[in-house]
Structures are given as C-alpha cells and as structure tokens.
Amino acid sequence: MTIPNQIHKPYDTSDKSDFNTCQRILEELCSQTKMRYGLIRKKDGVKWGNWCVYDYQSQQIVNKNSDTYVKIYQEIRTGFSPIYINDSAQCTVDQWTDVLQEFGLKSYISYPIVNKKDAIVGHMSFMNAEPVHFDRTKLETLLPVCSDLIAIDFKTIFGLNKARRELKQELSYTKNRELILTSLAHDLNNPVSIVKVISQYLMGSVKDDNQKRLIKKIEEASLRMKGMIDDILDFSSIRLENKPTIINECFRIDTLIRQILSEYEFLHNKTLIANIDLPTEIRCDQHKMGRAFANLIGNAIKHGNPDKNIEINAFIKEGQFIFSVTNELIFPQQVSDLSDLFEPFIRGDNSKGLGLGLFIAREIAKLHKGTIIVHSDNTKITFELAIPTDFMRSIQ
C-alpha cells in the first residue's frame, strides 16, 4: 500500500473529545466493512478538510492532513450518491480504478454526510489495500444512520466552537472595557478630589447660611462621586488582578478601624457604637482591608434605620479575626433574600451608589482566605467578616 507514511503517525490534539463520536463510528464501520482505514471529511463553509482519519489496525486516530486522501476525494467523490467498490479490478469506472491503483488501493467506500437542510456537510470513506467483499445490503442500512449521527455531532461541535469564539471575544472586550473604566476613574479622581477640598475650604470661610447649604451639597456630591470612583477602581483591580498577592506586613487593625469610624462619624454626623478588642497585630493588606471595613460600615449607614444605632464589633475568636457590622432595618421585611446582596451592581432601594461595595468587601475577604456571612432576623441585619489569623502568606 503506497499511502504516505505521514498518515501513520498518531494524531496529537489537545481536544480529542471532538473526535470521540467520529472515532467510535469509524471503528465500528471498519469492523463491519473489514477496511483498514476510515475517513471523515468535513465541510467548513466552502472549504473541505480531513476531519478524522482512523487506522483500524492500530485502532487510533492518525494524522489527518494527508494530501493523498484529498486527491482521492477530488477525483472520485461527487454528489449525493454512495460509492461501493469492493475490488478496483472489477470497477466499471476507469477513472476511479486508475486513482485507486495509483495509491495501492483495491477497495473503497464513500458515503455523504447530509444535514437536516439536505446539504452535504461531509463524507465518510473507507479503504483497503486488498479487495474486501463487504455486505452492501447491510451497509445501505447502517451508513445512513451513521451519517445522521455524524451530522448531529458536527452541529454540536460547530455550536461549541462558536460559543468558545464568542466567549474568547467577550473576555477580550470585557478586559478592554475594564481597562478603559479604570483609566477613566483615575482621570476623574483628581478633579473630584479638588472639588471636595475646595468645598471644605469654602465651608470654613463663608458665613451665609444659604451659601453654606449649597457648599455642603457640593461637598456631599463630591464625596459620593469619590466613593463611586473608589468602587470602580477597586472593582477593576479585583477583576484584573490574577497574580498571587504576597503579604509580609502585620498591622494594628484596631487603629485602622477607629480611624475609619471617626471619618464616618464626622462625614455623616452619626455616632457609631464600637466594641474593639484586638490585642495583637494581624497580617493583611492594610489598604484593601480598610476598603472592606469602610464598605461594610458605609452600607449600614446607607441602608440602615437612620434613627437607630449601628454597632461595630472587632475581636479575635477561635483563630479568626472577626469584624461585624449590625444595623436595624428601615422596614422589617425589606431583606427577604440575602443570596444576591454580594453580586456586583445589585443596589438597594433608593441607593445612589453603583452596587459594588459588598461585592468588593467579599472579594477582599477572599483574598485573605476569609468569608463574609450575613444574618438577618427581619429587624436587624449583621455582616460578619471572618479571616483566619494564620492564613497563607501567598494568597491566590
């Protein structure tokens, strides 16, 4: 048999699952026809290619990029009609006999693969170096069924490949959008900060109450914008970071918590009840942990009952650092489903933010091998951040 040696090499593919159905069908048909080689060609648009070449003798898929098979197809295979040649010496079509003899073949079968729209999407063929007396009647029943199965498999593979391409494209678009969003947030950060500083300066220099009220509105708007920008930057940072974070430093978290509490009490003119018992330093990313604390406290101020106190607890218990924020609900039944609270862009009623605060806090907890759990009794709601004090130094 003079088929080139290249087709005898095992076909190496990282995704052999695409060939499972075809391989099983070719294996069975080679067994039924007594042919050594089984081949499936697949049409992709206007192009044809050898999809799966099976060597029954070695019982494995072999290299599918053989010019030999292409030439056989070009010379023999046309239209919808099946071709059955059990001995090329007895074939009545001289052209087919010449092609098969050129490549040392004596037996040949070809059958079209037709989809539901009656369009040819591929072909099956089987070949052998010696004459083979196969049962044509049996094959005329078996081949149409196999053709239908392969047509369905092609449609499935096409759908999967299309979904992979679309997913890859969407991932690229998403990354570019987040990079643009991060760049825009950085650019907006400075002017918003300037507005905030100027409004605070003016507040101390003017005496007219009406002017003070206007300046206060400007300051509040700038603070709200600053919070949104910080959320965008944190959100993009979390989404774009894919390298391990090495944390080598330990901090007095009680000092950080008290600093954040004083800032919120000043900004919102509200007293926060704090119970802090942290005798030791804790290894963490101080900036990120501060954002998690601020987001949980800010969430309680935004959505809690303004006439009721907010309680903050921070302590070490059973090898874990615990930080919890509890606030009373404005309406007793307003929290019925807690499963979506940590999803990005989920906002509460009358919220003016982006809906990223709790999501960012949860992701920061994950970076520290921790969790955030939420409890509610329909009158109060508690967010509890828990981080192991002995978490790994390299945080995935």
Side-chain angles (χ1 to χ4, degrees):
M1 190 172 184
T2 58
I3 295 177
N5 291 330
Q6 63 170 323
I7 70 165
H8 295 282
K9 296 186 297 183
Y11 180 64
D12 183 20
T13 173
S14 59
D15 190 6
K16 292 183 180 178
S17 60
D18 284 352
F19 298 98
N20 285 345
T21 300
C22 295
Q23 179 175 345
R24 289 194 296 270
I25 290 175
L26 290 178
E27 183 177 6
E28 176 61 27
L29 290 175
C30 284
S31 175
Q32 294 288 337
T33 61
K34 309 303 180 184
M35 299 283 195
R36 176 174 177 179
Y37 290 104
L39 165 68
I40 294 175
R41 288 201 91 207
K42 181 174 179 290
K43 187 178 183 182
D44 187 5
V46 296
K47 296 181 179 180
W48 286 84
N50 294 331
W51 175 250
C52 185
V53 182
Y54 183 74
D55 182 353
Y56 187 68
Q57 181 172 308
S58 63
Q59 296 194 349
Q60 63 183 355
I61 296 174
V62 293
N63 192 307
K64 65 175 183 175
N65 297 316
S66 171
D67 293 336
T68 300
Y69 294 128
V70 175
K71 185 170 183 179
I72 294 174
Y73 263 100
Q74 289 174 340
E75 297 292 333
I76 293 180
R77 176 72 265 172
T78 59
F80 285 82
S81 300
I83 296 173
Y84 298 96
I85 302 173
N86 53 25
D87 187 349
S88 61
Q90 300 176 9
C91 180
T92 59
V93 182
D94 293 338
Q95 179 188 359
W96 294 357
T97 301
D98 294 340
V99 173
L100 294 178
Q101 288 181 348
E102 179 183 349
F103 295 106
L105 297 173
K106 295 291 186 180
S107 300
Y108 186 82
I109 298 172
S110 181
Y111 195 90
I113 301 170
V114 182
N115 64 14
K116 296 295 184 182
K117 297 179 180 179
D118 292 328
I120 294 178
V121 294
H123 287 110
M124 291 182 289
S125 71
F126 304 88
M127 57 206 75
N128 199 68
E130 301 297 331
V132 175
H133 298 285
F134 45 77
D135 187 340
R136 177 168 174 172
T137 302
K138 185 176 181 180
L139 290 179
E140 286 175 342
T141 301
L142 186 59
L143 287 174
V145 176
C146 294
S147 173
D148 289 343
L149 287 174
I150 295 173
I152 293 170
D153 194 53
F154 280 176
K155 183 178 180 181
T156 302
I157 292 169
F158 174 81
L160 287 173
N161 289 338
K162 182 181 179 182
R164 290 188 189 117
R165 289 193 301 269
E166 290 176 350
L167 177 59
K168 185 177 179 180
Q169 186 179 51
E170 183 58 34
L171 288 173
S172 176
Y173 287 161
T174 299
K175 186 172 182 178
N176 289 335
R177 283 195 297 266
E178 289 177 354
L179 288 171
I180 293 171
L181 193 62
T182 303
S183 177
L184 181 61
H186 274 293
D187 291 342
L188 290 174
N189 206 12
N190 285 338
V192 170
S193 298
I194 292 171
V195 171
K196 183 186 73 170
V197 171
I198 292 175
S199 63
Q200 291 172 343
Y201 170 77
L202 292 174
M203 183 64 72
S205 61
V206 301
K207 296 180 180 180
D208 184 82
D209 290 340
N210 289 330
Q211 290 180 345
K212 282 188 175 183
R213 280 194 294 270
L214 291 173
I215 294 171
K216 185 64 176 176
K217 289 183 179 295
I218 293 173
E219 181 183 9
E220 290 174 350
S222 66
L223 288 172
R224 190 162 59 249
M225 286 293 296
K226 184 69 167 59
M228 291 182 182
I229 290 169
D230 288 341
D231 280 348
I232 291 172
L233 291 173
D234 284 338
F235 178 72
S236 297
S237 174
I238 288 169
R239 292 289 294 265
L240 294 173
E241 280 182 359
N242 52 20
K243 295 181 180 179
T245 301
I246 308 300
I247 297 177
N248 295 318
E249 296 183 88
C250 294
F251 300 93
R252 288 299 299 253
I253 298 299
D254 53 346
T255 304
L256 177 62
I257 294 173
R258 288 191 174 93
Q259 177 187 339
I260 294 170
L261 289 175
S262 65
E263 292 175 358
Y264 272 92
E265 287 178 334
F266 174 77
L267 291 173
H268 298 278
N269 192 26
K270 187 177 184 67
T271 300
L272 304 174
I273 299 174
N275 302 302
I276 302 173
D277 183 15
L278 297 172
T280 60
E281 294 183 335
I282 297 174
R283 185 189 302 118
C284 68
D285 184 314
Q286 187 179 26
H287 171 72
K288 285 187 171 63
M289 193 61 68
R291 287 292 294 158
F293 296 155
N295 286 355
L296 292 175
I297 295 170
N299 180 74
I301 293 173
K302 288 178 184 177
H303 304 293
N305 190 328
D307 299 324
K308 300 295 183 178
N309 291 324
I310 294 173
E311 183 178 342
I312 290 93
N313 293 285
F315 53 89
I316 302 293
K317 181 180 179 181
E318 298 178 355
Q320 287 193 317
F321 161 67
I322 306 294
F323 177 84
S324 68
V325 180
T326 302
N327 63 271
E328 294 200 25
L329 302 172
I330 299 176
F331 302 106
Q333 301 297 325
Q334 77 176 51
V335 179
S336 57
D337 184 7
L338 305 176
S339 60
D340 293 333
L341 289 178
F342 295 96
E343 295 303 312
F345 306 109
I346 298 296
R347 301 190 298 178
D349 295 337
N350 301 319
S351 176
K352 296 180 180 180
L354 296 174
L356 292 173
L358 292 178
F359 167 78
I360 290 169
R362 184 189 65 178
E363 295 304 302
I364 290 172
K366 287 181 180 179
L367 288 173
H368 291 79
K369 301 299 181 184
T371 59
I372 296 182
I373 301 173
V374 57
H375 311 279
S376 175
D377 61 4
N378 290 329
T379 59
K380 291 183 179 181
I381 187 169
T382 298
F383 291 87
E384 182 180 281
L385 183 153
I387 295 175
T389 56
D390 60 348
F391 71 92
M392 296 173 59
R393 294 177 66 88
S394 177
I395 302 174
Q396 302 297 326

